[in-house]
Amino acid sequence: MTAQDIVPPLLTPDRLDEVEGWFFDADRFVFGWLLTRQRDQGTRGDLLELGVYKGKSAILMGYHAADGERFTVCDLFDADEAPDDSTATEMRVYYPTLTRQVFESNYLRFHRRLPTVIQGSSSEITSHVPARSCRFVHIDASHLYHHVRVDIAAARELLTEDGVVSLDDFRSPHTPGVAAATWEAVLTTGLKPVVLTESKLYGTWGSADVLRDALAAHLTTHPTLWGVTEDVAGHTLLRVHAR
Ligand SMILES: C[S@@+](CC[C@H](N)C(=O)[O-])C[C@H]1O[C@@H](n2cnc3c(N)ncnc32)[C@H](O)[C@@H]1O
C-alpha cells in the first residue's frame, strides 16, 4: 500500500463551522427538517443551490441528495466571469478570496463526490437543469434585484409541484434588491411564504398549509427555536426565532 492509497476520513457535519460562509443554526435546522421530511414522505426530486461561496450550505445539502437524485450547484466563482459590471463589483467587494478550487476542496472534506458544478451565471441555470425536476432550490447568489427576480423565475420553472424555494438575505439592510424581488414574487407570481428565519424566506408555489403547520408543531418541542404565525398579504407564515 502506498501513501496515495490511504483515503483520509471524511469530516462529520458537526465540523461545518470550519468552512467559512453564512449559514446559521436556524437555517441548518430548517434545511434538515424540510429535506428529511420530503424524503420521509416519499417526495423525490433533485436539489439545486445558486450561489455556493466556499460550500457551507452546499455541504449540508449534499447529505440529503438520495440515490438517483442529482445535486447541482451554480456559482460564478470568479469576478471575471460576472455577467455585468454591478455583479463584478459585488464579487470583488464581498467574495475576494473565492475560487472554485476552494469550494471543491472544502466539499470533498465532507463528501466523497462533488455535486454537479455549473460555473457561470445563475441566469443560465434553466439550460442546465430540467424543468419541474427539483424538490428544493436554495437561492443565494446575486443580491441585485434584476438577477434575483430571474433566479426566482427559474426556481418556479425548476421546482416540482410542492417543491420548496429558500431565498437568502430577503431582509438584510445591504440587500434591498433581494427583498424587492422576494415580495414581488409573493404579490405577483403566487409564491406562498411558508417560513421565515432571520436570514431566509422559505416558500412554495404548491401546498403551504400542511408544511407550515407540521413545522410549527415540531418547533413546540425544539430546545432552542420557537415559532409564531403571522398573516401577511393573505398568507399565514411561520416566523422562526431563537429562544
Ligand atoms: C452569499 S454567497 C453564498 C453563500 C453560501 N451559500 C454559504 O452558505 O456560505 C453568494 C455567492 O453567489 C455567487 N454569485 C454572485 N452572483 C452570482 C450570479 N449572478 N450567478 C452565480 N453566482 C453568483 C458569489 O460568487 C458567491 O459565491
Side-chain angles (χ1 to χ4, degrees), residues 145-195:
Y145 171 73
H146 62 284
H147 285 303
V148 181
R149 65 200 305 268
V150 172
D151 291 348
I152 294 172
R156 187 180 188 188
E157 179 179 331
L158 300 179
L159 282 170
T160 52
E161 190 179 347
D162 286 327
V164 174
V165 62
S166 170
L167 276 147
D168 186 70
D169 267 334
F170 78 102
R171 57 176 286 275
S172 301
H174 68 292
T175 59
V178 185
T182 301
W183 291 109
E184 177 185 61
V186 170
L187 295 172
T188 68
T189 77
L191 175 64
K192 298 168 190 155
V194 183
V195 180

Side-chain angles (χ1 to χ4, degrees), residues 54-115:
K54 297 187 180 177
K56 199 161 197 158
S57 48
I59 288 166
L60 187 138
M61 287 176 68
Y63 291 109
H64 293 278
D67 288 346
E69 293 180 338
R70 189 162 81 137
F71 178 28
T72 302
V73 301
C74 170
D75 202 294
L76 293 165
F77 291 114
D78 183 340
D80 292 341
E81 303 275 330
D84 49 48
D85 289 348
S86 48
T87 302
T89 301
E90 188 180 45
M91 296 284 295
R92 292 196 176 97
V93 170
Y94 288 104
Y95 319 117
T97 59
L98 177 62
T99 65
R100 178 171 175 169
Q101 193 271 331
V102 168
F103 161 68
E104 293 189 349
S105 66
N106 279 340
Y107 195 91
L108 290 172
R109 293 168 69 204
F110 292 82
H111 297 283
R112 291 272 175 244
R113 288 182 28 224
L114 288 171

